[in-house]
Amino acid sequence: MKYTPKEIPEEVNVNVTRVHPLVNFAYLLGTTIGVSILIYLGLGFAAAQLTTRISPEMEIKIGQSLFPKGLFSSSLKNQERLEYVQELATSLQEDMGATRIPITVHLWENEALNAAIFPGGNIVVTTGLLDAVETENELAFVLAHELGHFAARDTLKGLGRSLVFVFVTSAIGLGTQDAGGLSAVVSTSGQLTNLHFRIRQESAADLYALEAIIRRYQHGGNSLDLFERIKVKDSRGKFEEYLSTHPLTQDRIDELNKIAAQRGWLMEGEVTAMPENISNW
Amino acid sequence: MSDLINVIIFLGLLALGYFSGTYFEQQHYKSIKKREKKTLYVPTVTFGAKQAMPEARDAALFAGSVVIGADYFKTFVSYLRNLVGGRVVVYESLLDRGRREALLRMKEQAIAWGATQVVNVRLESSNIGQQAGSNKGMMAIEVIAYGTGVK
């Protein structure tokens, strides 16, 4: 039998699937991101459902085990300020009827302008914030905002979601034994989903705060002045805004004014001053 | 901010892997096709146990082996593929190139020696450079082609 060399066909290679690598990649990436978002939403929803069943005693316990109390031992000179803020927070809490557990205010001696809520009804307020507020209305709005997170159990929900998050990413890391890119994709989609939750929570807390302010002072005047003042300093771009949880202050102010107009809430009124010994340091 | 930097580094590596990987693959295929045409006149065949071997004065063993590494893009896509399962398209071309290159290296040696044909050709492939029992480390495949050159 004579061997006759056969021409190799030029472009048909049966051993390589004829699909563009990028198309293939897009399909795989889409599937992975889609599924991880679904898992994350599902488990996150379950976590949120479970947190509403946590008893007040349990919530206090969780707060005690998670809250770094030692960090916020305020010095004696701040004692008066602390008492004042605590009183304001408690009375706001009573106004709104969100009294499943008492609120505890902690002062953090820090120049940053911030306030935060922790599990177990712990609110941390920086001395920088107290220095920056000029009227009680402003301070009350910030406290009521944190109270809004408390009333919606946002910290507990966040805790539940973090647990889900860690569980899912580590399960993927364990299951495929690859850290690298894959768990990065899954965790990034998870984080973006989480961001979506948190932005919604922020708007809800803002609304809650305004409602509390209206109940207490019968008007929303001056309560947003702090945001007006700090927005000058705020230079976040659109991209950073997307990645940050709090909306740009101007957007926040506009949104709240819009809602107030819709509901017929008064946005002007008499200013309640801070007590002398609190404001002048 | 550090998240953003990580994302940018990751995308950069992915793009680097994709573009360089595609470029080298195209170059490799060009070279493979050219050399396959050049060596086409020497048959590489397999004989059955009861078939008569061709007449030969001389015989020698020739082995061609090649190691080809995957790029970042291919590796990442294969991880994604591992989640859902299915054809790992990105590695198919890698193995295809490996087999053809190994055969070519074997044939080119045999032709240099003066072989009229290469009989009983075998192919073996394995992945190398990985730690036992894990997916960590370098992703590379080795393909060996060996056969008996006769003249």
Side-chain angles (χ1 to χ4, degrees), chain A residues 4 31 37 42 55 65 68 93 104 134 140 157 164 166 191 194 237 250 270 280:
Chain A
T4 339
T31 313
I37 286 180
S55 66
S65 61
Q93 189 188 14
T104 319
E134 283 172 7
K157 284 178 193 166
V164 167
V166 169
Q191 267 164 3
N194 197 20
Q250 188 56 53
E270 210 173 302
N280 295 327

Side-chain angles (χ1 to χ4, degrees), chain A residues 150-187:
Chain A
F150 168 77
R153 300 172 198 251
D154 287 343
T155 48
L156 290 176
K157 284 178 193 166
L159 212 61
R161 269 196 287 273
S162 307
L163 284 176
V164 167
F165 185 67
V166 169
F167 171 74
V168 171
T169 25
S170 63
I172 290 219
L174 284 177
T176 61
Q177 305 209 328
D178 147 63
L182 181 58
S183 41
V185 167
V186 175
S187 72

